[in-house]
Amino acid sequence: DQQVKQNSPSLSVQEGRISILNCDYTNSMFDYFLWYKKYPAEGPTFLISISSIKDKNEDGRFTVFLNKSAKHLSLHIVPSQPGDSAVYFCAAKLPGFGNEKLTFGTGTRLTIIP
Amino acid sequence: KAGVTQTPRYLIKTRGQQVTLSCSPISGHRSVSWYQQTPGQGLQFLFEYFSETQRNKGNFPGRFSGRQFSNSRSEMNVSTLELGDSALYLCASSLWDAATNEKLFFGSGTQLSVL
């Protein structure tokens, strides 16, 4: 039972264009969402997050949108740069203590084409 | 400040053997969590340790175990290895835990191959 789904295993985008990575979830109890970025041979690093009380959060070129009614999360990267090529994981957290309450998606491999 | 350190980086074992992986968290971080990453499965939660106590455990068999020492360093052990245990094992540390929405800091992982 995959509660957090990233249905696109891979995505290719031209440099300078917008990259949109999508994430769907099934549990309406999730109250906090995060995106992590992973380069080969490195661990994931935190990118951006959003609370369920918001619908948008921006940090430089990265914007996360949350549509609670659709149970949908998206990450927009604009403009896309070659260094953005990586695997992106979305994650959703239930309220309360413990990292077992954090569920990760399966990841989307983003390739930026120069 | 040094990041999360995992050793070894690569490991090759045969079925039936056991393996121990090590993780040193960021200094001052008391929570250490372990994850298994396999292609198409994302990051699956194994267990979390906080102040030497296992806080919670994911849906993995008892062959997977761990512990945390007084200096917050953690070890993960897998006994009677199976082919399906081949994966990247990631350790993550944080000051507290996900309840405070602290972001996790991951190590580079240990790539385990079981032949």
Side-chain angles (χ1 to χ4, degrees), chain B residues 102-115:
Chain B
E102 287 279 345
K103 56 182 183 280
L104 299 175
F105 293 83
F106 285 87
S108 298
T110 295
Q111 184 67 53
L112 172 65
S113 297
V114 182
L115 306 178

Side-chain angles (χ1 to χ4, degrees), chain A residues 16-84:
Chain A
R17 300 286 189 106
I18 183 171
S19 294
I20 300 176
L21 294 95
N22 294 304
C23 180
D24 296 299
Y25 60 95
T26 57
N27 193 336
S28 57
M29 297 301 291
F30 288 133
D31 70 347
Y32 199 72
F33 303 87
L34 309 94
W35 284 93
Y36 282 82
K37 173 179 174 179
K38 185 181 183 299
Y39 291 120
E42 295 182 15
T45 55
F46 170 78
L47 192 56
I48 193 169
S49 62
I50 188 168
S51 166
S52 60
I53 62 173
K54 296 185 176 181
D55 53 22
K56 177 182 174 181
N57 187 28
E58 279 182 85
D59 184 2
R61 297 185 298 111
F62 302 90
T63 303
V64 57
F65 294 92
L66 176 62
N67 183 334
K68 289 188 287 295
S69 60
K71 296 191 181 68
H72 180 78
L73 186 72
S74 63
L75 174 68
H76 292 210
I77 306 172
V78 54
S80 299
Q81 299 175 354
D84 296 330

Side-chain angles (χ1 to χ4, degrees), chain B residues 16-91:
Chain B
Q17 287 187 308
Q18 75 162 23
V19 66
T20 299
L21 313 181
S22 179
C23 172
S24 294
I26 291 172
S27 177
H29 284 195
R30 293 162 63 187
S31 168
V32 174
S33 296
W34 289 88
Y35 292 85
Q36 181 195 66
Q37 185 193 353
T38 53
Q41 290 295 315
L43 278 70
Q44 304 290 312
F45 174 79
L46 279 155
F47 28 66
E48 178 188 5
Y49 285 88
F50 185 84
S51 294
E52 302 179 64
T53 301
Q54 186 179 90
R55 291 276 297 271
N56 37 65
K57 187 173 163 114
N59 189 24
F60 280 84
R63 300 184 297 106
F64 291 81
S65 63
R67 59 179 176 169
Q68 186 180 33
F69 302 96
S70 58
N71 61 359
S72 292
R73 190 177 72 84
S74 177
E75 287 183 347
M76 187 191 104
N77 185 276
V78 187
S79 63
T80 320
L81 284 165
E82 300 178 359
L83 295 178
D85 297 334
S86 295
L88 178 68
Y89 290 88
L90 292 161
C91 165

